[in-house]
Amino acid sequence: MSKSTEMIVETDSGKIEGYQNRGLYVFKGVPYAAPPVGEQRWLPSKAVEPWSGVRQAQSAAAIAPQILSPEGVFNQQPTKEPQSEDCLYLNVWTPGLDDARRPVLFWIHGGGFQGGSGSHAGYKGSRLSVRGDVVVVTTNYRLGSLGFLNLNEITGGRIPATGNEGLLDQIAALKWLRSNIRAFGGNPENVAIFGESAGAMSVGCLLAVPQAKGLFHKAILQSGAASSTLPLSSAVQVAEQFLNKLGLGPTDADALRSLPVERLLAAQQELAPRPVIDGAVLHASPIDAIKNGSAREIPIIVGSNLDECKSLSMNDQELPGLDEAGLLRRCTRLMPADKAKALVETYREALARRDAPITPTELFLAIQTDQMFRIPAIRIAEAQQGQGQSVYNYLFTWAPPVLDGTLGAYHSLEVGFVFGNYAEEYCGSGPAAEALSWNMQDAWLAFAHSGNPGCERLGEWPAYDDNRVTMLFDKECHVENAPYDEERRAWDSVPNATLG
């Protein structure tokens, strides 16, 4: 699409110049915080230094440092965008630079807290913005060891990183939004945050972080919930392993700050840093905080895809040859042995009744998908319902013909349908795919406007209740009570600590 008509908006830090594109106003690479570089590495982000003149905001800025996985997520191949520790930027799509006070949709990207960016082509906000008359914002945040490594304890406070600096970046972006979004035609009193995978896990954390309270008013969690955090003791162990890999000790704070980012990226591999229950930013497990009312008065949509792990496990060389003994071994890594055996039998019987494959490989993928994604999503729905709050549950079951349909409704598949940017070679095509995308877009947009995802195309979407009302997204979108409930019940006896 061609660009036309340069546009200037004044933010609280200075003027920025975007562009107009077919009636839509676009601003890319907008700084929402000062660069976290040098002495600011591992510290909470600070306000942007004001500038004079007009700053260009017509192309995406550098993304957070990361190692690009050669395979990426199946339908979201990584792109070689410029990388820098100076990465705290966001992007805005809006139908008008006026005082219309439109709803704001604020997207937090996934990538396992180690990869991804707000400027990935799949997250282009133009279709959502035009279709729903909303302002769409996507953002970068610090990743990996730079964003989610607790160094405070091991360094004796020399580097006071909580392990939640990436979350604090997201909060800083929301604060920027609160101060500036009216200049972009948005309403700072009607902000819906949404994300997928680690982005949804971030949303789950933000529902629990006191510093985020009041910065958003609705939340959507796609294939990620409130269970992917580390207790402080485990975070300290991760930090110890990180320093060991670098050959540094707890007192080498200056050396750690001065290391090239490439060394940090190499050292963080296999350590999987993620948000930390540190007592300063995150005071408790997010799911426990939600149970205790931290998300009170915030409507929520939460759900997952039916076959998440079929794509996530594509590079597992041992999985195709898995036998019954190997299946049980893998399951006992997730839960006590007696629970594992009973769970396998429940899944075997449930899948057989649906005429689904019951090989050890298929059984493990179904169990792992529910353990990582569906059951944590249901736990959030239950927690919010227990507070008497509105929560809407979904299950995405569309299975495109890619690889002869063997991947089913795989991880991240729904993202393209939500943004209206789905790639036909990965997601399917034709009238049914187009209708599914419209249904999901309209539900998300209705939720942004009113807090209720029911809409003309989709029809009524009742709130989650004791009947476990769930919207199924497929060729024919429809509501069911307690779908796949045999498998869900099997997890009732598994401790929540094993989930996620």
Side-chain angles (χ1 to χ4, degrees):
M1 294 194 295
S2 62
K3 301 177 182 179
S4 62
T5 312
E6 310 295 348
M7 303 303 295
I8 295 176
V9 168
E10 185 157 6
T11 72
D12 56 6
S13 299
K15 294 179 180 179
I16 59 173
E17 186 173 40
Y19 61 90
Q20 188 178 5
N21 191 349
R22 297 185 180 179
L24 200 67
Y25 302 86
V26 185
F27 299 81
K28 296 182 177 180
V30 181
Y32 68 82
V37 299
E39 291 297 315
Q40 291 300 308
R41 180 187 272 182
W42 284 303
L43 295 182
S45 51
K46 292 186 175 182
V48 178
E49 289 288 335
W51 60 84
S52 58
V54 179
R55 180 172 183 141
Q56 296 301 305
Q58 300 179 356
S59 58
I63 68 175
Q66 56 195 267
I67 295 176
L68 296 181
S69 170
E71 65 275 356
V73 177
F74 180 71
N75 67 325
Q76 293 186 39
Q77 301 303 317
T79 53
K80 292 184 178 180
E81 302 174 83
Q83 298 184 17
S84 172
E85 288 188 68
D86 178 7
C87 63
L88 302 185
Y89 298 87
L90 52 77
N91 314 291
V92 182
W93 291 261
T94 180
L97 303 176
D98 49 29
D99 197 32
R101 295 177 68 84
R102 297 172 180 83
V104 181
L105 278 164
F106 178 88
W107 174 254
I108 304 175
H109 71 78
F113 299 108
Q114 298 196 62
S117 74
S119 51
H120 189 283
Y123 308 146
K124 184 172 66 174
S126 54
R127 287 187 173 87
L128 270 179
S129 182
V130 169
R131 186 173 181 86
D133 192 31
V134 299
V135 180
V136 178
V137 180
T138 67
T139 190
N140 294 339
Y141 55 97
R142 278 175 285 181
L143 300 169
S145 58
L146 290 167
F148 297 99
L149 183 68
N150 182 289
L151 292 168
N152 183 60
E153 273 65 33
I154 196 169
T155 66
R158 295 176 181 85
I159 298 179
T162 64
N164 293 311
E165 279 59 45
L167 291 180
L168 293 176
D169 292 342
Q170 296 166 14
I171 291 171
L174 286 167
K175 288 180 177 178
W176 179 94
L177 189 152
R178 180 180 60 188
S179 299
N180 294 285
I181 205 64
R182 285 195 65 170
F184 297 85
N187 183 359
E189 301 302 322
N190 188 8
V191 177
I193 61 174
F194 69 134
E196 185 267 344
S197 196
M201 296 169 193
S202 296
V203 171
C205 290
L206 293 176
L207 289 167
V209 174
Q211 291 163 260
K213 193 170 184 62
L215 296 176
F216 61 93
H217 313 91
K218 306 176 181 75
I220 304 174
L221 302 92
Q222 301 171 209
S223 300
S227 54
S228 294
T229 54
L230 288 175
L232 185 57
S233 58
S234 298
V236 171
Q237 292 177 2
V238 170
E240 290 174 346
Q241 295 169 26
F242 182 74
L243 290 184
N244 287 339
K245 287 177 177 287
L246 291 169
L248 297 176
T251 61
D252 295 330
D254 290 340
L256 192 53
R257 282 196 183 95
S258 63
L259 282 179
V261 71
E262 292 77 15
R263 290 278 308 278
L264 305 181
L265 293 176
Q268 76 186 35
Q269 293 192 76
E270 301 178 6
L271 295 181
R274 52 182 170 167
V276 178
I277 304 170
D278 65 305
V281 179
L282 268 176
H283 297 274
S285 163
I287 188 64
D288 289 337
I290 294 169
K291 286 179 181 177
N292 290 324
S294 68
R296 194 175 289 124
E297 300 180 0
I298 298 178
I300 291 173
I301 294 176
V302 60
S304 61
N305 299 356
L306 183 61
D307 305 293
E308 304 267 10
C309 289
K310 286 189 175 181
S311 61
L312 295 177
S313 301
M314 288 179 68
N315 297 307
D316 185 339
Q317 302 297 322
E318 298 178 358
L319 192 58
L322 194 67
D323 58 15
E324 288 291 330
L327 169 62
L328 283 174
R329 279 196 303 272
R330 286 186 173 220
C331 289
T332 53
R333 298 173 194 163
L334 308 177
M335 67 200 76
D338 60 326
K339 308 289 185 187
K341 188 172 183 179
L343 199 73
V344 167
E345 292 311 311
T346 297
Y347 273 73
R348 194 190 312 276
E349 293 171 7
L351 267 63
R353 272 192 283 274
R354 294 197 297 272
D355 293 323
I358 55 171
T359 64
T361 297
E362 292 290 339
L363 287 170
F364 178 73
L365 289 172
I367 289 169
Q368 188 181 42
T369 289
D370 283 358
Q371 180 260 340
M372 291 178 65
F373 298 102
R374 190 167 79 98
I375 301 305
I378 289 172
R379 295 289 188 262
I380 281 192
E382 293 170 338
Q384 191 72 339
Q385 182 213 5
Q387 288 290 319
Q389 304 300 306
S390 296
V391 57
Y392 302 89
N393 185 229
Y394 76 86
L395 186 62
F396 185 89
T397 58
W398 167 271
V402 61
L403 296 184
D404 297 321
T406 56
L407 291 182
Y410 58 84
H411 187 65
S412 81
L413 174 59
E414 88 293 349
V415 175
F417 291 93
V418 168
F419 277 90
N421 301 328
Y422 65 93
E424 294 184 356
E425 65 268 33
Y426 295 120
C427 304
S429 61
E434 186 174 51
L436 174 58
S437 183
W438 286 343
N439 283 337
M440 295 198 78
Q441 288 178 66
D442 285 0
W444 267 229
L445 291 165
F447 184 75
H449 278 274
S450 70
N452 186 324
C455 56
E456 183 177 353
R457 283 194 60 89
L458 194 63
E460 183 183 3
W461 181 345
Y464 192 82
D465 59 14
D466 292 341
N467 293 319
R468 304 187 183 278
V469 177
T470 303
M471 177 64 72
L472 271 67
F473 284 108
D474 208 323
K475 294 178 182 178
E476 299 293 334
C477 299
H478 64 283
V479 171
E480 282 190 21
N481 289 341
Y484 302 90
D485 208 43
E486 290 175 80
E487 295 97 309
R488 180 202 61 79
R489 290 197 304 270
W491 290 93
D492 286 346
S493 62
V494 178
N496 283 341
T498 67
L499 297 175

